[in-house]
Amino acid sequence: MTAASKTALQPATIEDLLDREQARFLDTHPRSAAAWEEGRKHFLYGGPSHWMRRWAGGFPVYAASASGAHIRDIDGHDYVDFALGDTGGMCGHAPEAVTRAALRQLQNGTTMMLPTEDSLRVGAELTRRFDLPYWTLTTSATDANRGAIRIARMITGRPKVLVFSGCYHGGVEEAHVEIRDGKVGMRNMIHPNGVDHSAVSRVVEFNDVAALEEALSHGDVACVLTEPLMTNFGMIPVAEGFHTALREITRSTGTVLIIDETHTISSGPGGYTALHGLEPDMLVAGKAIAGGIPAGIFGVSQQMAERLWKIVPMVNPRVRQSAHLGIGGTLAGNALTIATMRAVLEEVLTPANFELMIANATRLADAAWSIIRANSLPWHVTQTGARAEIMFMPNPPRNGADVIAGRRGDLETLLHAFYMNEGILVTPFHTMFLMCPATSPADVDRHTKVFGRFVDLVRGAGVV
Protein backbone atom coordinates (compact mmCIF):
# COMPACT_ATOMS: atom_id res chain seq x y z
CA MET A 1 0.00 0.00 0.00
CA THR A 2 1.38 3.40 -0.96
CA ALA A 3 1.56 6.29 1.52
CA ALA A 4 -1.06 8.14 -0.54
CA SER A 5 -3.53 5.26 -0.52
CA LYS A 6 -3.00 4.71 3.22
CA THR A 7 -3.80 8.37 3.88
CA ALA A 8 -6.92 8.14 1.72
CA LEU A 9 -8.15 5.20 3.83
CA GLN A 10 -7.64 6.87 7.20
CA PRO A 11 -11.08 8.49 7.59
CA ALA A 12 -12.83 5.17 6.90
CA THR A 13 -10.55 3.38 9.34
CA ILE A 14 -11.31 5.93 12.05
CA GLU A 15 -15.00 5.54 11.28
CA ASP A 16 -14.63 1.79 11.77
CA LEU A 17 -12.99 2.37 15.15
CA LEU A 18 -15.72 4.82 16.13
CA ASP A 19 -18.43 2.36 15.10
CA ARG A 20 -16.77 -0.25 17.30
CA GLU A 21 -16.58 2.09 20.30
CA GLN A 22 -20.18 3.20 19.90
CA ALA A 23 -21.32 -0.43 19.69
CA ARG A 24 -19.37 -1.17 22.88
CA PHE A 25 -20.96 1.85 24.52
CA LEU A 26 -24.46 0.75 23.54
CA ASP A 27 -23.83 -2.76 24.81
CA THR A 28 -22.64 -1.56 28.24
CA HIS A 29 -25.14 1.30 28.72
CA PRO A 30 -28.60 -0.20 28.07
CA ARG A 31 -30.42 1.93 30.66
CA SER A 32 -28.94 5.18 29.32
CA ALA A 33 -29.80 4.10 25.77
CA ALA A 34 -33.40 3.42 26.78
CA ALA A 35 -33.62 6.70 28.67
CA TRP A 36 -32.36 8.58 25.61
CA GLU A 37 -35.00 6.99 23.42
CA GLU A 38 -37.66 8.03 25.94
CA GLY A 39 -36.25 11.55 26.12
CA ARG A 40 -36.45 11.94 22.35
CA LYS A 41 -40.23 11.68 22.67
CA HIS A 42 -40.41 14.80 24.85
CA PHE A 43 -37.40 17.06 24.24
CA LEU A 44 -36.68 18.96 21.06
CA TYR A 45 -33.15 17.55 20.80
CA GLY A 46 -33.46 14.48 22.99
CA GLY A 47 -32.44 15.97 26.33
CA PRO A 48 -33.26 18.96 28.52
CA SER A 49 -30.47 20.90 26.77
CA HIS A 50 -29.65 20.52 23.09
CA TRP A 51 -25.94 20.34 24.04
CA MET A 52 -26.56 16.91 25.51
CA ARG A 53 -26.87 15.30 22.09
CA ARG A 54 -23.20 16.10 21.41
CA TRP A 55 -21.71 13.23 23.42
CA ALA A 56 -19.76 10.88 21.14
CA GLY A 57 -21.23 7.62 22.34
CA GLY A 58 -24.24 8.17 20.08
CA PHE A 59 -26.25 9.16 23.16
CA PRO A 60 -25.25 10.59 26.55
CA VAL A 61 -24.86 8.70 29.78
CA TYR A 62 -27.64 9.47 32.22
CA ALA A 63 -26.18 10.62 35.52
CA ALA A 64 -27.40 9.08 38.78
CA SER A 65 -25.11 10.94 41.17
CA ALA A 66 -21.94 13.01 41.27
CA SER A 67 -19.47 13.75 44.01
CA GLY A 68 -16.12 15.48 43.89
CA ALA A 69 -14.45 14.61 40.59
CA HIS A 70 -16.58 11.52 39.87
CA ILE A 71 -19.93 10.79 38.24
CA ARG A 72 -21.92 7.55 38.47
CA ASP A 73 -24.44 6.80 35.74
CA ILE A 74 -27.72 4.87 35.87
CA ASP A 75 -25.99 1.80 34.44
CA GLY A 76 -23.67 1.72 37.45
CA HIS A 77 -20.47 2.97 35.76
CA ASP A 78 -18.06 5.33 37.53
CA TYR A 79 -16.29 8.08 35.60
CA VAL A 80 -13.46 10.41 36.40
CA ASP A 81 -14.94 13.69 35.29
CA PHE A 82 -12.53 16.03 33.52
CA ALA A 83 -15.41 17.76 31.72
CA LEU A 84 -16.85 19.20 34.93
CA GLY A 85 -19.89 20.56 33.14
CA ASP A 86 -17.67 22.36 30.59
CA THR A 87 -16.38 24.45 33.57
CA GLY A 88 -19.73 24.81 35.33
CA GLY A 89 -18.56 22.12 37.76
CA MET A 90 -15.02 23.44 38.27
CA CYS A 91 -15.68 23.56 42.03
CA GLY A 92 -16.30 19.80 41.89
CA HIS A 93 -19.63 18.06 42.29
CA ALA A 94 -21.56 18.74 45.49
CA PRO A 95 -18.77 20.57 47.32
CA GLU A 96 -19.67 20.69 50.99
CA ALA A 97 -19.41 24.47 51.36
CA VAL A 98 -21.73 25.12 48.40
CA THR A 99 -24.23 22.46 49.46
CA ARG A 100 -24.33 23.86 52.98
CA ALA A 101 -24.85 27.44 51.75
CA ALA A 102 -27.53 26.37 49.26
CA LEU A 103 -29.50 24.40 51.83
CA ARG A 104 -29.37 27.26 54.30
CA GLN A 105 -30.63 29.75 51.72
CA LEU A 106 -33.29 27.40 50.38
CA GLN A 107 -34.77 27.42 53.86
CA ASN A 108 -34.74 31.22 53.91
CA GLY A 109 -36.05 31.99 50.41
CA THR A 110 -34.41 31.72 47.02
CA THR A 111 -35.51 34.83 45.15
CA MET A 112 -37.07 38.04 46.44
CA MET A 113 -35.68 40.71 44.08
CA LEU A 114 -34.01 42.14 47.19
CA PRO A 115 -30.35 42.11 48.22
CA THR A 116 -29.05 40.03 51.10
CA GLU A 117 -26.08 40.73 53.33
CA ASP A 118 -24.19 37.93 51.55
CA SER A 119 -24.11 40.19 48.49
CA LEU A 120 -21.89 42.68 50.32
CA ARG A 121 -19.27 40.01 50.88
CA VAL A 122 -19.56 38.83 47.27
CA GLY A 123 -19.15 42.32 45.82
CA ALA A 124 -16.13 43.09 47.98
CA GLU A 125 -14.46 39.80 47.07
CA LEU A 126 -15.06 40.23 43.33
CA THR A 127 -13.45 43.67 43.51
CA ARG A 128 -10.48 42.29 45.45
CA ARG A 129 -9.90 39.41 43.06
CA PHE A 130 -10.43 41.11 39.73
CA ASP A 131 -9.52 44.74 40.58
CA LEU A 132 -12.67 46.26 39.09
CA PRO A 133 -14.82 48.38 41.42
CA TYR A 134 -18.40 47.71 40.28
CA TRP A 135 -20.24 44.48 39.47
CA THR A 136 -23.56 43.23 38.12
CA LEU A 137 -24.88 39.68 38.36
CA THR A 138 -26.73 37.81 35.63
CA THR A 139 -27.99 34.26 35.23
CA SER A 140 -25.29 33.19 32.75
CA ALA A 141 -22.05 34.33 31.15
CA THR A 142 -23.99 34.78 27.91
CA ASP A 143 -26.22 37.34 29.61
CA ALA A 144 -23.17 38.96 31.21
CA ASN A 145 -21.57 39.33 27.77
CA ARG A 146 -24.77 40.76 26.35
CA GLY A 147 -24.98 43.26 29.21
CA ALA A 148 -21.37 44.33 28.78
CA ILE A 149 -21.85 44.77 25.01
CA ARG A 150 -25.00 46.81 25.51
CA ILE A 151 -23.27 49.13 27.97
CA ALA A 152 -20.30 49.51 25.61
CA ARG A 153 -22.67 50.60 22.85
CA MET A 154 -24.47 53.00 25.19
CA ILE A 155 -21.33 54.81 26.26
CA THR A 156 -19.59 54.86 22.86
CA GLY A 157 -22.55 55.34 20.52
CA ARG A 158 -21.00 52.76 18.20
CA PRO A 159 -22.76 49.71 16.71
CA LYS A 160 -20.15 47.00 16.17
CA VAL A 161 -18.48 44.34 18.28
CA LEU A 162 -15.08 42.95 17.29
CA VAL A 163 -14.42 39.28 18.02
CA PHE A 164 -11.66 36.87 17.05
CA SER A 165 -12.28 34.10 14.55
CA GLY A 166 -13.04 30.82 16.28
CA CYS A 167 -14.27 32.47 19.47
CA TYR A 168 -17.23 31.39 21.52
CA HIS A 169 -18.98 33.71 23.96
CA GLY A 170 -22.27 31.88 24.45
CA GLY A 171 -25.45 32.95 22.70
CA VAL A 172 -24.07 36.35 21.68
CA GLU A 173 -25.20 36.97 18.10
CA GLU A 174 -22.32 39.34 17.36
CA ALA A 175 -19.84 36.56 18.11
CA HIS A 176 -21.38 33.95 15.77
CA VAL A 177 -18.96 34.76 12.94
CA GLU A 178 -15.64 33.39 11.76
CA ILE A 179 -13.16 33.69 8.91
CA ARG A 180 -13.00 30.64 6.69
CA ASP A 181 -11.12 30.53 3.38
CA GLY A 182 -10.57 34.26 3.72
CA LYS A 183 -14.28 35.05 3.95
CA VAL A 184 -16.46 36.05 6.89
CA GLY A 185 -19.34 33.69 7.56
CA MET A 186 -21.27 31.99 10.33
CA ARG A 187 -19.25 29.86 12.74
CA ASN A 188 -19.96 26.18 13.28
CA MET A 189 -22.97 26.10 10.96
CA ILE A 190 -24.95 28.53 13.15
CA HIS A 191 -28.09 29.84 11.46
CA PRO A 192 -27.85 33.60 10.71
CA ASN A 193 -31.26 34.14 12.33
CA GLY A 194 -32.09 37.33 10.45
CA VAL A 195 -29.10 39.26 11.86
CA ASP A 196 -27.06 41.45 9.51
CA HIS A 197 -23.66 40.61 10.92
CA SER A 198 -21.93 43.09 8.64
CA ALA A 199 -23.76 45.79 10.60
CA VAL A 200 -22.99 44.50 14.08
CA SER A 201 -19.76 42.48 13.90
CA ARG A 202 -16.15 42.68 12.87
CA VAL A 203 -13.96 39.59 13.02
CA VAL A 204 -10.17 39.24 12.75
CA GLU A 205 -7.73 36.45 13.53
CA PHE A 206 -6.42 36.16 17.08
CA ASN A 207 -2.86 37.41 17.67
CA ASP A 208 -2.97 39.53 14.46
CA VAL A 209 -2.09 43.04 15.64
CA ALA A 210 -2.14 44.59 12.16
CA ALA A 211 -5.62 43.24 11.39
CA LEU A 212 -6.88 44.40 14.78
CA GLU A 213 -5.50 47.91 14.25
CA GLU A 214 -7.09 48.17 10.81
CA ALA A 215 -10.46 46.88 12.00
CA LEU A 216 -10.62 49.41 14.84
CA SER A 217 -9.42 52.32 12.72
CA HIS A 218 -12.91 52.85 11.26
CA GLY A 219 -14.24 54.19 14.56
CA ASP A 220 -17.42 52.10 14.48
CA VAL A 221 -16.49 49.37 16.98
CA ALA A 222 -17.95 49.79 20.46
CA CYS A 223 -15.96 46.97 22.06
CA VAL A 224 -13.56 44.10 21.59
CA LEU A 225 -14.89 40.93 23.22
CA THR A 226 -12.18 38.34 23.81
CA GLU A 227 -10.92 35.58 26.01
CA PRO A 228 -7.40 36.22 27.36
CA LEU A 229 -6.38 33.17 25.38
CA MET A 230 -8.76 31.25 23.20
CA THR A 231 -10.20 28.03 24.61
CA ASN A 232 -13.30 27.15 22.61
CA PHE A 233 -11.72 26.33 19.26
CA GLY A 234 -8.96 24.28 20.69
CA MET A 235 -6.68 26.16 23.03
CA ILE A 236 -4.91 28.98 21.18
CA PRO A 237 -2.13 30.55 23.27
CA VAL A 238 -1.67 34.31 23.22
CA ALA A 239 1.40 35.60 21.36
CA GLU A 240 3.99 37.59 23.24
CA GLY A 241 3.08 41.28 23.26
CA PHE A 242 -0.44 40.78 21.94
CA HIS A 243 -2.23 41.86 25.11
CA THR A 244 -0.09 44.98 25.34
CA ALA A 245 -0.93 45.87 21.76
CA LEU A 246 -4.61 45.05 22.27
CA ARG A 247 -4.85 47.37 25.24
CA GLU A 248 -2.94 50.20 23.53
CA ILE A 249 -5.00 50.01 20.32
CA THR A 250 -8.36 49.83 22.10
CA ARG A 251 -7.45 52.85 24.22
CA SER A 252 -6.18 54.89 21.29
CA THR A 253 -9.37 54.18 19.29
CA GLY A 254 -11.80 54.68 22.18
CA THR A 255 -12.86 51.05 22.07
CA VAL A 256 -14.06 49.27 25.20
CA LEU A 257 -12.08 46.12 26.05
CA ILE A 258 -14.16 43.25 27.47
CA ILE A 259 -12.30 40.17 28.70
CA ASP A 260 -14.37 37.01 29.05
CA GLU A 261 -12.85 34.79 31.78
CA THR A 262 -15.60 32.14 31.71
CA HIS A 263 -13.06 29.40 30.94
CA THR A 264 -9.77 31.06 31.82
CA ILE A 265 -10.85 31.63 35.43
CA SER A 266 -9.15 28.24 35.76
CA SER A 267 -5.84 30.14 35.65
CA GLY A 268 -6.06 31.20 39.30
CA PRO A 269 -8.19 32.97 41.92
CA GLY A 270 -8.36 36.16 39.84
CA GLY A 271 -8.32 34.41 36.49
CA TYR A 272 -5.82 35.04 33.72
CA THR A 273 -6.43 38.78 34.10
CA ALA A 274 -5.04 39.02 37.63
CA LEU A 275 -2.27 36.51 36.96
CA HIS A 276 -0.92 38.55 34.04
CA GLY A 277 -1.86 42.06 35.14
CA LEU A 278 -4.31 42.80 32.33
CA GLU A 279 -6.40 45.97 32.46
CA PRO A 280 -9.83 45.38 30.90
CA ASP A 281 -12.59 47.98 30.93
CA MET A 282 -15.01 45.16 31.70
CA LEU A 283 -14.58 41.57 32.81
CA VAL A 284 -17.06 38.71 32.40
CA ALA A 285 -17.20 35.33 34.09
CA GLY A 286 -19.79 32.64 34.69
CA LYS A 287 -20.36 28.92 35.05
CA ALA A 288 -18.06 28.06 37.96
CA ILE A 289 -18.57 31.26 39.91
CA ALA A 290 -21.57 29.99 41.91
CA GLY A 291 -20.61 26.33 42.20
CA GLY A 292 -22.91 25.11 39.43
CA ILE A 293 -25.90 27.28 40.31
CA PRO A 294 -26.61 29.28 37.10
CA ALA A 295 -24.80 32.61 37.35
CA GLY A 296 -22.77 35.16 35.45
CA ILE A 297 -20.97 38.33 36.49
CA PHE A 298 -19.55 41.37 34.81
CA GLY A 299 -17.44 44.08 36.35
CA VAL A 300 -16.70 47.59 35.07
CA SER A 301 -13.91 50.06 35.68
CA GLN A 302 -14.42 53.40 37.43
CA GLN A 303 -14.27 55.24 34.11
CA MET A 304 -16.85 52.96 32.47
CA ALA A 305 -19.17 53.34 35.46
CA GLU A 306 -18.98 57.12 35.43
CA ARG A 307 -19.70 57.24 31.70
CA LEU A 308 -22.70 54.96 32.17
CA TRP A 309 -24.07 56.95 35.11
CA LYS A 310 -24.24 60.02 32.89
CA ILE A 311 -26.70 58.13 30.68
CA VAL A 312 -28.57 56.15 33.34
CA PRO A 313 -28.02 57.80 36.74
CA MET A 314 -28.06 56.11 40.10
CA VAL A 315 -31.56 55.94 41.57
CA ASN A 316 -33.08 59.12 43.02
CA PRO A 317 -35.57 57.82 45.61
CA ARG A 318 -37.78 60.89 45.05
CA VAL A 319 -38.23 60.21 41.36
CA ARG A 320 -40.05 57.32 39.74
CA GLN A 321 -37.32 55.87 37.48
CA SER A 322 -38.59 54.00 34.45
CA ALA A 323 -35.34 53.82 32.46
CA HIS A 324 -33.31 50.63 32.75
CA LEU A 325 -30.29 49.17 31.01
CA GLY A 326 -32.09 46.77 28.67
CA ILE A 327 -30.51 43.85 30.51
CA GLY A 328 -31.31 41.89 33.62
CA GLY A 329 -33.61 39.00 34.36
CA THR A 330 -35.87 38.59 37.35
CA LEU A 331 -33.70 35.84 38.81
CA ALA A 332 -30.39 37.68 38.36
CA GLY A 333 -28.63 38.15 41.67
CA ASN A 334 -31.12 35.98 43.52
CA ALA A 335 -30.42 35.07 47.13
CA LEU A 336 -29.61 31.41 46.38
CA THR A 337 -27.03 32.34 43.76
CA ILE A 338 -25.48 34.94 46.04
CA ALA A 339 -25.22 32.48 48.92
CA THR A 340 -23.49 29.83 46.82
CA MET A 341 -21.24 32.40 45.16
CA ARG A 342 -20.06 33.59 48.56
CA ALA A 343 -19.26 29.98 49.49
CA VAL A 344 -17.33 29.48 46.25
CA LEU A 345 -15.28 32.64 46.67
CA GLU A 346 -14.54 32.18 50.36
CA GLU A 347 -14.19 28.41 50.68
CA VAL A 348 -13.79 26.63 47.35
CA LEU A 349 -11.88 28.59 44.68
CA THR A 350 -9.18 29.53 47.14
CA PRO A 351 -5.45 29.98 46.46
CA ALA A 352 -4.72 26.67 48.22
CA ASN A 353 -7.24 24.78 46.10
CA PHE A 354 -5.94 26.38 42.92
CA GLU A 355 -2.46 25.11 43.81
CA LEU A 356 -3.84 21.57 43.98
CA MET A 357 -5.82 21.96 40.76
CA ILE A 358 -2.90 23.42 38.82
CA ALA A 359 -0.52 20.74 40.12
CA ASN A 360 -2.86 18.03 38.83
CA ALA A 361 -3.24 19.75 35.45
CA THR A 362 0.55 19.86 35.20
CA ARG A 363 0.73 16.19 36.15
CA LEU A 364 -1.76 15.30 33.40
CA ALA A 365 -0.06 17.48 30.79
CA ASP A 366 3.43 16.17 31.56
CA ALA A 367 2.28 12.55 31.39
CA ALA A 368 0.45 13.14 28.10
CA TRP A 369 3.54 14.83 26.67
CA SER A 370 5.65 11.82 27.67
CA ILE A 371 3.36 9.42 25.82
CA ILE A 372 3.19 11.66 22.76
CA ARG A 373 6.97 11.99 22.57
CA ALA A 374 7.62 8.32 23.27
CA ASN A 375 5.42 7.44 20.28
CA SER A 376 6.70 10.27 18.02
CA LEU A 377 3.15 11.51 17.50
CA PRO A 378 2.41 14.84 15.72
CA TRP A 379 0.33 16.07 18.65
CA HIS A 380 0.82 18.63 21.40
CA VAL A 381 -0.45 19.60 24.84
CA THR A 382 -1.31 23.11 26.05
CA GLN A 383 -1.93 24.05 29.67
CA THR A 384 -3.26 27.15 31.36
CA GLY A 385 -3.67 26.88 35.10
CA ALA A 386 -6.01 24.02 36.02
CA ARG A 387 -6.88 23.29 32.39
CA ALA A 388 -4.95 21.26 29.81
CA GLU A 389 -5.71 20.19 26.26
CA ILE A 390 -4.41 17.52 23.92
CA MET A 391 -4.63 18.59 20.28
CA PHE A 392 -4.02 16.33 17.32
CA MET A 393 -1.73 18.72 15.46
CA PRO A 394 2.03 19.18 15.82
CA ASN A 395 2.19 22.77 17.06
CA PRO A 396 -0.09 25.05 19.08
CA PRO A 397 -2.29 27.07 16.69
CA ARG A 398 -1.70 30.82 16.39
CA ASN A 399 -5.28 31.57 15.36
CA GLY A 400 -8.54 30.13 14.15
CA ALA A 401 -7.20 29.57 10.65
CA ASP A 402 -4.54 27.23 12.00
CA VAL A 403 -7.20 25.26 13.85
CA ILE A 404 -9.38 24.97 10.75
CA ALA A 405 -6.40 23.81 8.70
CA GLY A 406 -5.04 21.28 11.18
CA ARG A 407 -7.69 20.10 13.61
CA ARG A 408 -8.52 16.39 13.56
CA GLY A 409 -12.18 16.29 14.48
CA ASP A 410 -12.36 12.59 13.61
CA LEU A 411 -9.69 11.68 16.15
CA GLU A 412 -11.29 13.93 18.76
CA THR A 413 -14.64 12.14 18.38
CA LEU A 414 -12.95 8.76 18.56
CA LEU A 415 -11.07 9.78 21.71
CA HIS A 416 -14.28 10.95 23.37
CA ALA A 417 -16.10 7.70 22.60
CA PHE A 418 -13.15 5.55 23.68
CA TYR A 419 -12.71 7.53 26.89
CA MET A 420 -16.38 7.12 27.85
CA ASN A 421 -15.99 3.38 27.48
CA GLU A 422 -12.90 3.50 29.67
CA GLY A 423 -14.46 5.60 32.45
CA ILE A 424 -13.18 9.07 31.54
CA LEU A 425 -15.40 12.06 30.71
CA VAL A 426 -14.09 14.95 28.63
CA THR A 427 -16.25 17.83 27.41
CA PRO A 428 -17.54 16.71 23.99
CA PHE A 429 -16.81 20.08 22.37
CA HIS A 430 -13.07 20.03 23.13
CA THR A 431 -10.29 17.70 24.15
CA MET A 432 -9.73 19.77 27.28
CA PHE A 433 -9.23 18.44 30.78
CA LEU A 434 -10.25 20.51 33.78
CA MET A 435 -9.29 19.86 37.38
CA CYS A 436 -11.43 20.60 40.44
CA PRO A 437 -10.31 20.72 44.08
CA ALA A 438 -11.38 17.09 44.51
CA THR A 439 -9.39 15.78 41.53
CA SER A 440 -6.67 13.47 42.84
CA PRO A 441 -3.31 12.33 41.46
CA ALA A 442 -4.89 8.87 41.18
CA ASP A 443 -7.61 10.32 38.92
CA VAL A 444 -4.92 11.86 36.72
CA ASP A 445 -2.95 8.62 36.61
CA ARG A 446 -6.11 6.77 35.57
CA HIS A 447 -6.31 9.15 32.62
CA THR A 448 -2.67 8.54 31.76
CA LYS A 449 -3.32 4.81 31.48
CA VAL A 450 -6.41 5.36 29.32
CA PHE A 451 -4.58 7.81 27.07
CA GLY A 452 -1.84 5.23 26.62
CA ARG A 453 -4.44 2.64 25.58
CA PHE A 454 -5.95 5.15 23.13
CA VAL A 455 -2.54 5.69 21.55
CA ASP A 456 -2.08 1.94 21.25
CA LEU A 457 -5.51 1.70 19.56
CA VAL A 458 -4.90 4.34 16.91
CA ARG A 459 -1.29 3.32 16.26
CA GLY A 460 -2.35 -0.30 15.92
CA ALA A 461 -4.92 0.71 13.34
CA GLY A 462 -2.38 2.82 11.48
CA VAL A 463 -4.44 6.01 11.58
CA VAL A 464 -1.67 8.30 12.88
Side-chain angles (χ1 to χ4, degrees):
M1 181 183 295
T2 67
S5 62
K6 184 177 179 181
T7 300
L9 289 174
Q10 281 185 17
T13 304
I14 291 175
E15 284 298 318
D16 289 342
L17 293 176
L18 180 58
D19 288 344
R20 186 189 311 167
E21 291 303 321
Q22 289 184 334
R24 178 159 71 118
F25 186 74
L26 176 62
D27 184 58
T28 55
H29 295 78
R31 292 189 64 189
S32 286
W36 182 245
E37 287 305 310
E38 179 67 17
R40 291 178 64 184
K41 300 175 184 176
H42 311 293
F43 295 108
L44 184 61
Y45 283 98
S49 165
H50 75 90
W51 295 114
M52 295 172 181
R53 76 191 196 281
R54 297 283 300 275
W55 290 91
F59 55 91
V61 299
Y62 274 67
S65 63
S67 178
H70 287 248
I71 290 176
R72 180 166 289 274
D73 70 18
I74 63 175
D75 287 288
H77 304 291
D78 176 83
Y79 304 86
V80 181
D81 185 13
F82 293 106
L84 294 171
D86 196 26
T87 306
M90 192 175 78
C91 293
H93 300 296
E96 182 180 349
V98 172
T99 301
R100 187 173 59 246
L103 288 173
R104 182 178 63 248
Q105 193 58 55
L106 282 167
Q107 293 171 337
N108 289 295
T110 58
T111 182
M112 296 82 80
M113 199 178 272
L114 292 168
T116 61
E117 288 186 314
D118 281 342
S119 68
L120 304 178
R121 299 285 289 271
V122 167
E125 179 61 12
L126 292 175
T127 292
R128 188 191 70 80
R129 287 192 182 217
F130 299 109
D131 199 30
L132 288 170
Y134 302 109
W135 293 86
T136 293
L137 271 63
T138 64
T139 53
S140 69
T142 288
D143 282 345
N145 278 320
R146 286 173 175 154
I149 289 169
R150 187 171 182 86
I151 289 171
R153 284 177 168 142
M154 289 168 69
I155 64 180
T156 64
R158 299 174 178 179
K160 293 187 178 181
V161 176
L162 184 141
V163 295
F164 294 104
S165 186
C167 73
Y168 181 74
H169 297 284
V172 175
E173 286 287 355
E174 293 86 346
H176 289 169
V177 289
E178 69 176 6
I179 301 170
R180 190 176 289 264
D181 298 326
K183 298 178 181 179
V184 175
M186 302 303 294
R187 72 178 303 277
N188 200 30
M189 299 179 288
I190 292 176
H191 189 276
N193 207 33
V195 176
D196 180 3
H197 285 85
S198 66
V200 297
S201 304
R202 286 190 185 276
V203 57
V204 299
E205 294 288 2
F206 194 58
N207 288 321
D208 190 335
V209 174
L212 173 68
E213 194 163 23
E214 194 283 328
L216 297 186
S217 68
H218 302 275
D220 58 357
V221 174
C223 59
V224 172
L225 174 60
T226 183
E227 293 183 282
L229 60 86
M230 294 183 70
T231 66
N232 274 289
F233 204 41
M235 222 182 278
I236 304 176
V238 64
E240 185 176 354
F242 181 71
H243 274 300
T244 298
L246 173 62
R247 182 66 281 194
E248 289 175 352
I249 295 168
T250 50
R251 280 182 173 146
S252 68
T253 57
T255 309
V256 175
L257 176 59
I258 305 170
I259 292 184
D260 183 349
E261 288 264 19
T262 300
H263 272 174
T264 52
I265 197 173
S266 62
S267 300
Y272 191 102
T273 295
L275 187 64
H276 295 275
L278 306 186
E279 299 178 351
D281 298 307
M282 302 186 193
L283 183 144
V284 168
K287 292 191 178 182
I289 202 70
I293 300 294
I297 58 173
F298 68 91
V300 302
S301 68
Q302 185 71 37
Q303 183 192 50
M304 294 296 107
E306 290 176 359
R307 291 175 68 180
L308 178 61
W309 290 335
K310 290 179 180 178
I311 302 168
V312 181
M314 295 287 281
V315 170
N316 180 342
R318 296 179 178 272
V319 177
R320 167 70 178 174
Q321 208 164 9
S322 60
H324 66 78
L325 301 179
I327 60 173
T330 306
L331 298 180
N334 69 77
L336 177 62
T337 296
I338 288 286
T340 57
M341 194 178 297
R342 177 180 174 182
V344 166
L345 295 172
E346 293 183 350
E347 302 182 63
V348 183
L349 295 184
T350 62
N353 276 340
F354 267 106
E355 283 188 25
L356 294 173
M357 293 156 65
I358 292 169
N360 278 316
T362 302
R363 184 185 186 96
L364 186 147
D366 288 349
W369 264 124
S370 294
I371 293 171
I372 289 168
R373 289 169 175 148
N375 288 275
S376 301
L377 294 168
W379 304 346
H380 75 272
V381 184
T382 299
Q383 180 189 354
T384 179
R387 187 185 303 274
E389 178 166 26
I390 298 168
M391 287 194 74
F392 301 121
M393 49 196 301
N395 300 306
R398 298 161 300 173
N399 52 39
D402 283 356
V403 176
I404 290 170
R407 191 171 189 176
R408 292 292 304 275
D410 52 354
L411 276 177
E412 289 180 20
T413 302
L414 177 61
L415 179 141
H416 291 148
F418 180 82
Y419 270 30
M420 289 167 69
N421 282 324
E422 298 292 320
I424 300 286
L425 294 181
V426 185
T427 305
F429 326 122
H430 329 276
T431 313
M432 287 198 301
F433 303 83
L434 181 62
M435 312 298 133
C436 70
T439 304
S440 69
D443 294 330
V444 173
D445 294 345
R446 182 171 165 184
H447 167 264
T448 300
K449 292 177 182 177
V450 171
F451 182 54
R453 291 200 289 271
F454 176 75
V455 168
D456 290 342
L457 173 70
V458 295
R459 283 179 60 83
V463 299
V464 293

